[in-house]
Amino acid sequence: MTEPFLVVNDLHRSFNDYKAVNGVSFTINKGEIFGLLGPNGAGKTTTIRMLSTVLPPDRGDIVIGGYSVRNNTDSIRRLIGVCPQELALYADLSAFDNLMFFGRMEGLSSQEARAQAMSNLEFVGLTDRAKKGRVDKFSGGMKRRVNLAIALMGNPQLLFLDEPTVGIDPQSRNNIYETIEMLRDRGMTILYTTHYMEEADRLCNRIAIMDAGIIIALDTPYNLKSKLGPPEKVNLEDVFLNMTGRSLRD
Ligand SMILES: Nc1ncnc2c1ncn2[C@@H]1O[C@H](COP(=O)(O)OP(=O)(O)OP(=O)(O)O)[C@@H](O)[C@H]1O
Ligand SMILES: [Mg+2]
């Protein structure tokens, strides 16, 4: 049984006269990993910022867990966790203190925040470094893992991961990748953005390809590949380039 957890209908957002998101609709089912792919500037982050209630849409409906973004942002915020594209960390705090800060911001008691912080840091493999040193001394991969651990504070049911593996080595990418698989196995619903097509192919139940503010394709990775040839011989990067073209976006 598929049960929609997030429903987006005809979402629009402009900056000055530029239409960054120009009529986007999709649903994400409970327990699904939904990939949002697209070239630079396609409107992925703008979409995620609207879904996570930090940017008001010009037009369109967003319903998460039955709550509308129009009148129930507080309820939605309790259901979601956001791992932003730009690292959102306090440079001079330890990993543990970063998680404590965000946990308290979410309204957790200090005891509950402490318990979740330790368990989330263990989950991303950072127990040893939890209280050792400021996060600005961490490697790029470790910072990304802290960013992900912060998103898990408050035990969200829906996670927005905006390029959680950007700019890190294959080992760290694999670690984050495995963490996402564990979250999926726990039943987490995830919206996932990446420029690594093989990651999206392996992880996502369904993928929306976005370009210039609209969704130009939405299907399972298998079906997307089937449109171009025998799915076992086609890779998702071929599909992506075929659909979005080869011209540079920035
Ligand atoms: N606050 C803003 N003010 C003005 N323009 C903006 C703002 N935020 C986004 N844009 C523009 O909207 C368009 C979509 O940006 P967005 O960040 O959503 O793209 P993206 O798909 O996330 O790209 P990337 O893969 O590079 O992260 C871009 O042209 C961007 O410059
Ligand atoms: Mg982005």
Side-chain angles (χ1 to χ4, degrees):
M1 240 325 258
T2 53
E3 183 192 337
F5 192 71
L6 174 149
V7 181
V8 185
N9 192 29
D10 198 28
L11 205 56
H12 290 255
R13 175 70 202 212
S14 295
F15 296 108
N16 303 315
D17 285 338
Y18 183 75
K19 292 183 172 158
V21 175
N22 194 15
V24 157
S25 305
F26 59 88
T27 62
I28 303 181
N29 297 316
K30 208 160 178 28
E32 181 175 38
I33 302 188
F34 185 92
L36 187 59
L37 308 184
N40 291 135
K44 304 179 298 294
T45 297
T46 305
T47 300
I48 289 178
R49 292 181 68 214
M50 289 190 277
L51 301 183
S52 54
T53 78
V54 293
L55 180 73
D58 294 335
R59 185 141 71 82
D61 292 323
I62 299 166
V63 176
I64 296 177
Y67 299 111
S68 168
V69 80
R70 284 176 198 277
N71 51 22
N72 236 326
T73 49
D74 287 349
S75 304
I76 290 181
R77 283 181 191 156
R78 278 194 283 277
L79 294 178
I80 64 173
V82 185
C83 184
Q85 181 169 1
E86 304 295 340
L87 291 168
L89 307 173
Y90 285 97
D92 55 352
L93 296 182
S94 67
F96 176 79
D97 286 341
N98 264 282
L99 268 69
M100 281 300 287
F101 174 80
F102 285 99
R104 297 289 278 157
M105 291 280 287
E106 293 235 349
L108 302 179
S109 69
S110 72
Q111 195 185 1
E112 182 57 26
R114 203 172 300 127
Q116 287 194 23
M118 289 317 287
S119 118
N120 291 345
L121 286 168
E122 184 184 353
F123 193 56
V124 298
L126 282 174
T127 303
D128 291 350
R129 301 296 296 267
K131 294 180 183 172
K132 276 198 198 126
R134 312 150 44 126
V135 291
D136 63 352
K137 302 284 182 252
F138 280 17
S139 71
M142 288 162 66
K143 285 180 188 158
R144 282 278 154 200
R145 278 144 64 196
V146 177
N147 210 39
L148 177 56
I150 287 171
L152 296 171
M153 292 300 287
N155 285 329
Q157 295 183 38
L158 169 65
L159 204 52
F160 296 111
L161 303 178
D162 195 352
E163 300 197 36
T165 56
V166 71
I168 58 179
D169 66 26
Q171 286 83 356
S172 284
R173 262 173 66 195
N174 204 50
N175 175 285
I176 288 185
Y177 186 89
E178 285 171 3
T179 307
I180 296 170
E181 285 184 319
M182 286 193 277
L183 290 168
R184 177 194 58 196
D185 295 344
R186 290 179 178 183
M188 183 81 83
T189 307
I190 297 173
L191 187 153
Y192 184 63
T193 289
T194 183
H195 289 291
Y196 298 106
M197 296 298 139
E198 74 284 2
E199 274 181 15
D201 194 356
R202 274 176 57 190
L203 269 178
C204 297
N205 301 97
R206 288 184 307 144
I207 286 173
I209 297 182
M210 194 169 177
D211 197 9
I214 59 168
I215 290 178
I216 54 173
L218 199 174
D219 215 327
T220 62
Y222 185 91
N223 286 347
L224 288 171
K225 289 185 283 186
S226 302
K227 289 180 182 134
L228 214 60
E232 51 289 348
K233 292 200 177 146
V234 173
N235 66 42
L236 205 58
E237 186 135 342
D238 299 330
V239 176
F240 185 86
L241 287 171
N242 187 270
M243 286 184 173
T244 58
R246 289 177 183 272
S247 62
L248 293 173
R249 302 310 154 100
D250 51 6

